């Protein structure tokens, strides 16, 4: 089982089309042996998030095989209806998590308006996935504090601290059992340290693919190859790519 926990839907063009289809991306996943990709918006972080949730759901619904692409919604958490939008995306559009890019969206994760979104995610049993690794609004321990405020919520650090804050991401993972580290664009030496120091069940992997305007994403191939070169046991790699990701997605291990 090979799950890519961090991929973006391609950006929507001004004429409403996309540079590639869901089926074209799934064909590329097949080439690389990827079973499931978690699909996040990119447009929704600076355009109307509600419309972008619909665009993402529609783009995925055109896939000829169901279940290979799992969508996460986004919201503007400042808006009073944000928690209702999360519920709509989960119950009506079949989405399985929330992605917030607090750095691009420009808010601190510790603002009071975050509470209804966190409570709704905990109630629905879905993870809250964040961009992290870039100050001022996306430092790992800032985000991880939500795991203290909402002990039944699974909080995901979508980049495991990126280049500059992976040590802080390790601290967050060691302190809080409900904080997950998605190693995505995290340097290889940092990934090895994360695996050595954070409880294994809290680690998943993603590529941050989808940003190129073609289905064959150089990042995706490169980052899986890089992951394979890490000096960690192959059994550990399988847990990160398979069992851990499935559990976080709320899916059964087959
Ligand atoms: Zn990303």
């Amino acid at each position: 089982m090979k799950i890519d926990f961090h991929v973006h839907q391609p950006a929507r063009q001004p004429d409403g089309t996309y540079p590639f289809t869901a089926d074209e991306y799934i064909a590329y996943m097949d080439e690389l042996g990827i079973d499931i990709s978690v699909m996040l918006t990119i447009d929704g972080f600076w355009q109307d998030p509600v419309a972008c949730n619909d665009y993402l759901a529609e783009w995925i619904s055109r896939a000829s095989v169901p279940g290979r692409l799992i969508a996460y919604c986004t919201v503007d958490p400042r808006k009073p209806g944000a928690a209702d939008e999360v519920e709509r995306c989960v119950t009506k559009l079949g989405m399985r998590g929330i992605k917030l890019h607090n750095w691009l969206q420009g808010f601190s994760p510790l603002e009071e308006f975050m509470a209804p979104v966190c409570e709704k995610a905990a109630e629905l049993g879905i993870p809250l996935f964040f961009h992290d690794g870039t100050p001022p609004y996306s430092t790992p321990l800032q985000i991880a504090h939500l795991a203290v405020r909402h002990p039944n919520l699974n909080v995901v650090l979508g980049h495991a601290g990126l280049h500059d804050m992976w040590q802080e991401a390790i601290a967050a993972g060691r302190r809080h059992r409900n904080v997950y580290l998605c190693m995505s664009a995290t340097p290889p030496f940092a990934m090895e340290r994360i695996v050595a120091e954070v409880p294994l069940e809290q680690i998943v992997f993603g590529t941050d693919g989808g940003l190129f305007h073609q289905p064959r994403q150089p990042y995706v191939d490169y980052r899986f190859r890089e992951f394979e070169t890490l000096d960690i046991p192959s059994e550990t790699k399988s847990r990160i790519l398979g069992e851990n990701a499935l559990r976080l997605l709320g899916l059964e291990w087959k």
Side-chain angles (χ1 to χ4, degrees), residues 180-254:
Y180 284 74
L181 277 67
C182 178
M183 302 191 298
S184 175
T186 321
F189 61 91
M191 288 196 272
E192 288 173 355
R193 287 279 298 279
I194 288 166
V195 171
E197 296 185 35
V198 174
L200 180 57
E201 57 273 17
Q202 291 166 239
I203 304 173
V204 295
F205 176 80
T207 62
D208 212 5
L211 303 174
F212 284 80
H213 285 198
Q214 58 185 48
R216 306 184 91 241
Q217 298 281 315
Y219 276 2
V220 175
D221 188 20
Y222 175 82
R223 288 191 171 134
F224 271 108
R225 285 172 193 267
E226 191 177 59
F227 181 76
E228 284 310 319
T229 68
L230 297 183
D231 186 18
I232 55 177
S234 57
E235 160 66 18
T236 303
K237 288 177 185 160
S238 310
R239 291 261 311 266
I240 292 169
L241 297 183
E243 200 178 335
N244 289 359
L246 279 177
R247 192 180 341 101
L248 187 54
L249 285 169
L251 297 173
E252 287 297 312
W253 174 248
K254 286 185 251 176

Side-chain angles (χ1 to χ4, degrees), residues 5 72 97-100 102 109-110 114 117-119 121-122 125-132 137-160 169 172-183 198 201-204 248:
F5 222 99
Y72 276 24
I98 308 168
K99 163 72 188 272
L100 295 178
N102 22 327
L110 301 176
M114 284 298 296
V117 173
C118 293
E119 282 161 17
I126 57 168
L128 184 46
F129 186 109
F130 286 91
H131 167 86
D132 80 303
Y137 294 138
S138 301
T139 67
L141 283 171
Q142 241 178 350
I143 294 165
H145 193 67
L146 291 175
V148 180
R149 288 187 183 171
H150 305 277
N152 296 323
L153 174 67
N154 283 330
V155 173
V156 186
L157 302 172
H159 288 290
R174 288 173 66 92
R175 270 183 214 185
H176 311 296
R177 293 292 90 93
N178 52 334
V179 168
Y180 284 74
L181 277 67
C182 178
M183 302 191 298
V198 174
E201 57 273 17
Q202 291 166 239
I203 304 173
V204 295
L248 187 54

Side-chain angles (χ1 to χ4, degrees), residues 89-119:
C89 289
V90 172
T91 59
K92 301 277 195 313
L93 303 182
M95 295 188 171
R96 306 288 293 262
I98 308 168
K99 163 72 188 272
L100 295 178
H101 202 307
N102 22 327
W103 182 58
L104 281 177
Q105 292 176 299
F107 64 88
S108 161
L110 301 176
E111 299 270 9
E112 283 184 16
F113 55 63
M114 284 298 296
V117 173
C118 293
E119 282 161 17

